[in-house]
Amino acid sequence: MDSLYQLVRQPSNVVIVTHKNPDGDALGSSLALAAVLSKLRHTVKVVLPNDFPPLFNFLPGIDNAIIGEMNPAEAVEAFEKADIIFCLDFNSLDRIDRFGLDVASADRATKILIDHHIDPEPFADHIISNTSASSTAELVYDFLVDMKLETYIDIPIAEAIYTGILMDTGSFRYGTNERVFEVAAALKRLGMDDYLLQIRLFNSMTEKQLKLLGHCLANRMELISEYQTGIIWLDRVDYKNWAIGRGDTEGIVNYVLMVRNMKMAVFISEQQNVTKLSFRSKGNINVQEICSQYFNGGGHRNASGGMMKASVKDTLAKVKEIIPLTMNSYQLQHDQ
Ligand code: 5GP
Ligand code: MN
């Protein structure tokens, strides 16, 4: 921390990179840190491997982020020039696709990982990893406090941090700890309008998104009550018929867990080249293990993701094969 304290006070070229398909925590934590470091006269570039959902358009500085998929040369140049690379909200370099190679080969840069996912790979010079943290945004707030930089947090920065916290805790419903409520209080004390953020983030669906949710629940959901697991799937035809875009399926997986006694939820979506899986669970059911063992993925105990190079049909079959194996190793109980 002492060496980082010196480092952040010396204006330099900083790159902040976060994971592919960036979510509210990836974006909020990255943009908050970028805004503070810009105030310290660093030249800061935020690199997103691919585009972000329009829901997050309001975050400070998001328009200046380099979208790697669209401007790869600009992203590569940023990594080459970097004196410091912050890696936020991911635990292994394959989470940033081809830019993992650029981070790995950026020998002159000091690499700092700030993350809350299980099993961080040791690719950084400094690793701030806390799997008990609600979000990377919470860890960025604490990092700013440790660096004695919290006075630089203005209202847009507070909103970015709070966005990360809200999205990763589902509005303080899961993944919470004592500290995250203290951080929220500190942000509110600064004058951040938390009610406005709730409306922006959770009451801002498009009509299409709400109807797509209806389609998923009415036509694409299968509950296997014996194993207290539910699955929702969308295939390529759904993607075409509904013109599904980035962010349109965000959060749909969580609805399965609203059903009494459901312990695990799986959302399967057929993308261009791969089929993506999202897992959610309640209590001690460990979906991180399932995703790392079977689906080349990972994340957190109760929220993980992965992928399979197979059709939706084959992926569904694989999931159904795994469910009994996994769920039988738990003493399943009904909700109280
Ligand atoms: P989501 O289901 O919302 O895409 O992701 C849930 C959690 O799992 C997030 O923390 C996310 O970073 C992680 N995650 C999602 N997909 C992958 C993946 O393909 N690989 C790994 N390692 N983690 C993932
Ligand atoms: Mn996160």
Side-chain angles (χ1 to χ4, degrees), residues 19 91 95 117 250 276 278 280 296-300 303-306:
H19 62 80
N91 57 356
R95 296 283 292 133
H117 293 91
E250 186 68 44
K276 270 287 300 172
S278 279
R280 300 290 185 271
N296 193 31
H300 314 279
S304 279

Side-chain angles (χ1 to χ4, degrees), residues 23 25-26 89 116-117 135-136 168 300:
D23 55 14
D25 188 32
D89 201 38
H116 67 136
H117 293 91
S135 52
T136 299
D168 261 27
H300 314 279

Side-chain angles (χ1 to χ4, degrees), residues 19-21 23 25 89-92 94-95 115-118 168 250-251 253 267 276-280 288 291-292 295-300 302-307:
H19 62 80
K20 189 187 166 161
N21 300 325
D23 55 14
D25 188 32
D89 201 38
F90 67 92
N91 57 356
S92 69
D94 61 1
R95 296 283 292 133
D115 181 46
H116 67 136
H117 293 91
I118 295 170
D168 261 27
E250 186 68 44
V253 62
F267 179 77
K276 270 287 300 172
L277 297 101
S278 279
F279 281 74
R280 300 290 185 271
Q288 193 271 339
C291 286
S292 61
F295 299 110
N296 193 31
H300 314 279
N302 298 124
S304 279
M307 56 92 141

Side-chain angles (χ1 to χ4, degrees), residues 1 5 8-9 33 36 137-153 161 179 182-183 186-187 190:
M1 284 297 178
Y5 185 91
V8 296
R9 280 173 173 72
L33 181 62
V36 171
E138 175 194 329
L139 293 176
V140 163
Y141 181 86
D142 279 340
F143 177 72
L144 295 174
V145 171
D146 289 341
M147 295 292 109
K148 304 209 177 348
L149 298 175
E150 71 265 41
T151 51
Y152 289 87
I153 301 176
I161 295 172
R179 179 65 185 153
E182 289 166 356
V183 174
L187 299 174
L190 283 173

Side-chain angles (χ1 to χ4, degrees), residues 12-238:
S12 62
N13 290 321
V14 175
V15 172
I16 300 173
V17 60
T18 190
H19 62 80
K20 189 187 166 161
N21 300 325
D23 55 14
D25 188 32
L27 295 165
S29 60
S30 297
L31 295 165
L33 181 62
V36 171
L37 295 178
S38 297
K39 291 188 186 191
L40 289 161
R41 298 176 182 279
H42 291 279
T43 303
V44 186
K45 307 239 186 239
V46 173
V47 174
L48 309 174
N50 60 349
D51 210 355
F52 56 87
L55 177 67
F56 301 111
N57 277 339
F58 70 92
L59 290 172
I62 199 159
D63 292 335
N64 300 325
I66 300 171
I67 315 292
E69 205 173 58
M70 295 178 197
N71 298 306
E74 203 184 337
V76 169
E77 191 190 346
F79 285 115
E80 279 169 2
K81 283 193 181 159
D83 302 305
I84 308 175
I85 300 175
F86 282 95
C87 297
L88 261 49
D89 201 38
F90 67 92
N91 57 356
S92 69
L93 288 177
D94 61 1
R95 296 283 292 133
I96 56 174
D97 277 0
R98 54 165 291 189
F99 302 107
L101 292 173
D102 299 287
V103 173
S105 62
D107 292 330
R108 50 183 289 270
T110 303
K111 297 165 201 169
I112 304 164
L113 173 74
I114 306 181
D115 181 46
H116 67 136
H117 293 91
I118 295 170
D119 290 339
E121 273 181 7
F123 62 85
D125 303 299
H126 302 269
I127 298 180
I128 299 173
S129 163
N130 179 356
T131 56
S132 310
S134 66
S135 52
T136 299
E138 175 194 329
L139 293 176
V140 163
Y141 181 86
D142 279 340
F143 177 72
L144 295 174
V145 171
D146 289 341
M147 295 292 109
K148 304 209 177 348
L149 298 175
E150 71 265 41
T151 51
Y152 289 87
I153 301 176
D154 56 23
I155 288 178
I157 296 171
E159 287 182 354
I161 295 172
Y162 199 67
T163 294
I165 292 172
L166 280 184
M167 297 310 289
D168 261 27
T169 62
S171 283
F172 297 96
R173 279 178 298 152
Y174 42 78
T176 59
N177 55 46
E178 288 175 16
R179 179 65 185 153
V180 71
F181 290 100
E182 289 166 356
V183 174
L187 299 174
K188 176 108 181 152
R189 217 171 276 131
L190 283 173
M192 174 202 61
D193 188 343
D194 57 310
Y195 182 63
L196 176 81
L197 278 174
Q198 285 286 346
I199 291 182
R200 272 194 192 150
L201 294 168
F202 299 109
N203 295 348
S204 297
M205 282 173 101
T206 61
E207 183 180 346
K208 183 186 83 178
Q209 287 170 340
L210 195 59
K211 285 184 169 159
L212 173 63
L213 170 63
H215 169 64
C216 287
L217 301 181
N219 309 315
R220 294 284 183 267
M221 184 172 78
E222 190 178 338
L223 302 184
I224 306 168
S225 55
E226 184 188 359
Y227 296 114
Q228 300 186 340
T229 296
I231 308 172
I232 294 175
W233 55 273
L234 289 174
D235 62 17
R236 264 186 234 174
V237 179
D238 289 314

